[in-house]
Amino acid sequence: MDQNDGFLKDIWYFAVHGREIKPGALVHKVIAGQPVLVGRTKAGDAFAIRDICPHRGVPLSAGKFVETDNQPTVQCPYHGWRFGTDGVCKHIPSLYEGQDMDPTKIAVTSYPLREQQGALWVFVPSDLRNPAQPTEEPPLMPGVGDRPARIYQKFDLTCHVDNAVIGLIDPAHGPFVHKNWFWRDESGMREKAKEFAPVKNGFVMVGHKPSANSKVYSLLGGDVKTEISFLIPGVRIEHITAGKHHVVGMTTVTPTGPEETEITQSFYSTNPVLNFLAPVFKPFMYHFLKQDADIANIMQEGLKFDPRLMLINESDIQGKWYFSMKAEWDRARAEGRPFKNPVPEKTVLRWRS
Ligand code: FES
Ligand SMILES: [Fe+2]
């Protein structure tokens, strides 16, 4: 995929929850338009390499693990070339004794990978031949230590990641798309005024008491405060503190194709009661995400005709910030300087929802 795919590069993307990648697994993912093999050695180490054999293009994830000089290597199913978890070719079976060819001169891109709080993050470089290395770490969910997500739910949206992000930070669709008995509806709409501030690679809706018309929050009890942040390329973190406990909802959007986006909703909590009950909430989570997926699919019918779109004041300003952060990210890379967050120092946004 070319550079015009509209996907941010040289940045961390959420790939998958680590427990989906069992020891010995080789899993094919597409992340920001790039084919990536996410694997885990039998010893438990996760890694990510380009999922295309440089010989004839077979996805290496179709192969299997074999040992080469006591090291785990991935063997391509076509001619048996073997690649280390660092992407370097360690063995070409067709070479005869003394043949003048050094397999280790051949390599597939190795993607920096982090496994933290049970999640796997992959750093996607813009230049595969001369890949940039990360200068910062992927986001950490606040207050939950190294706990993994208690539950999570994944969905495929049929839209470009930009539209998925806009939906994620759009405060005005709730009463219409998420019309549920357990959430506010149109008749409960009221005027909101929220304060926003920039954070590293994003912005935050500064901590506030949740809207009294959100029935779900009342289940948490205690003195509840919630803070919602959004970080590029597409991570929304809702951090709720209730008494001494933390509850975090992470929603990530990862572009898998020009018109395909994987959305994952993950739920973390330090509250043992909530963790015990969490599986009960999973169907609600599914229901909520499905509503977003359904509207994305309907929207795609309109977007086929490439219409002009609008971002209005003030309910769509977060969307405007997203596009200006993206543009600044690309400019900063091109000019070889640090990202300078274009989100204004302090803004109060008003809307009805
Ligand atoms: S295509 Fe992979 S070894 Fe030939
Ligand atoms: Fe939504």
Side-chain angles (χ1 to χ4, degrees):
M1 209 158 300
D2 65 18
Q3 290 300 302
N4 299 325
D5 52 24
F7 304 150
L8 285 172
K9 301 286 163 60
D10 298 326
I11 199 160
W12 291 100
Y13 280 93
F14 172 81
V16 63
H17 280 292
R19 56 183 185 266
E20 286 189 30
I21 315 289
K22 302 265 183 271
L26 300 171
V27 173
H28 170 80
K29 300 287 292 178
V30 180
I31 305 175
Q34 302 193 14
V36 181
L37 181 168
V38 181
R40 193 187 292 285
T41 65
K42 298 200 169 101
D45 301 317
F47 63 95
I49 58 177
R50 185 166 159 87
D51 198 14
I52 304 270
C53 179
H55 186 214
R56 294 274 224 289
V58 170
L60 294 172
S61 57
K64 62 176 184 188
F65 271 115
V66 293
E67 294 259 307
T68 306
D69 301 330
N70 298 319
Q71 293 297 318
T73 50
V74 179
Q75 180 178 272
C76 177
Y78 201 173
H79 312 91
W81 292 19
R82 296 180 185 180
F83 296 85
T85 56
D86 57 358
V88 176
C89 184
K90 311 285 185 194
H91 181 60
I92 296 181
S94 68
L95 297 186
Y96 59 82
E97 189 68 40
Q99 186 174 344
D100 184 20
M101 180 170 177
D102 179 4
T104 64
K105 295 244 162 63
I106 301 168
V108 292
T109 304
S110 155
Y111 294 91
L113 173 143
R114 299 283 186 273
E115 183 158 23
Q116 58 183 37
Q117 299 173 318
L120 297 180
W121 300 80
V122 169
F123 182 84
V124 178
S126 53
D127 182 353
L128 292 188
R129 280 170 219 288
N130 184 21
Q133 290 303 307
T135 54
E136 46 192 55
E137 292 298 303
L140 275 173
M141 299 310 114
V144 296
D146 55 10
R147 285 177 184 77
R150 175 71 176 98
I151 52 170
Y152 57 88
Q153 186 85 56
K154 235 179 346 186
F155 251 99
D156 291 319
L157 304 179
T158 54
C159 63
H160 187 273
V161 69
D162 284 349
N163 292 316
V165 168
I166 296 301
L168 196 62
I169 54 182
D170 168 12
H173 74 281
F176 300 93
V177 171
H178 303 294
K179 210 179 277 178
N180 304 308
W181 63 263
F182 57 90
W183 202 252
R184 53 182 175 266
D185 67 6
E186 211 179 322
S187 63
M189 280 177 79
R190 56 173 72 175
E191 191 176 316
K192 310 275 163 60
K194 308 277 180 186
E195 189 184 319
F196 289 79
V199 293
K200 192 163 174 283
N201 299 350
F203 55 82
V204 62
M205 186 197 287
V206 179
H208 60 277
K209 295 205 182 285
S211 330
N213 56 350
S214 307
K215 298 184 191 84
V216 175
Y217 288 119
S218 61
L219 296 173
L220 292 169
D223 191 16
V224 180
K225 212 184 99 182
T226 155
E227 192 160 82
I228 302 174
S229 43
F230 172 79
L231 315 173
I232 51 171
V235 184
R236 180 186 187 272
I237 301 168
E238 181 156 6
H239 178 201
I240 303 164
T241 41
K244 64 178 179 14
H245 282 296
H246 296 264
V247 180
V248 178
M250 172 179 80
T251 312
T252 55
V253 288
T254 300
T256 51
E259 308 286 346
E260 288 142 52
T261 302
E262 191 170 87
I263 183 165
T264 308
Q265 184 129 52
S266 312
F267 169 90
Y268 306 75
S269 160
T270 60
N271 184 326
V273 179
L274 217 54
N275 278 333
F276 177 75
L277 290 175
V280 177
F281 295 118
K282 211 170 162 181
F284 295 100
M285 210 162 157
Y286 173 86
H287 189 67
F288 232 76
L289 267 186
K290 176 145 190 336
Q291 290 172 325
D292 285 316
D294 288 347
I295 195 71
N297 287 339
I298 296 169
M299 177 172 65
Q300 206 54 31
E301 289 302 309
L303 294 183
K304 273 184 200 157
F305 299 92
D306 201 21
R308 275 181 64 101
L309 306 175
M310 291 192 272
L311 292 171
I312 68 161
N313 289 343
E314 294 180 14
S315 55
D316 292 336
I317 287 195
Q318 297 177 65
K320 293 187 185 183
W321 288 342
Y322 166 67
F323 285 116
S324 50
M325 283 194 291
K326 273 188 83 178
E328 160 58 14
W329 186 266
D330 286 342
R331 266 196 314 271
R333 302 289 114 178
E335 293 166 15
R337 58 169 176 81
F339 172 78
K340 195 169 162 292
N341 197 335
V343 174
E345 216 27 71
K346 181 182 161 186
T347 317
V348 176
L349 297 181
R350 289 175 205 283
W351 67 82
R352 280 173 50 82
S353 69

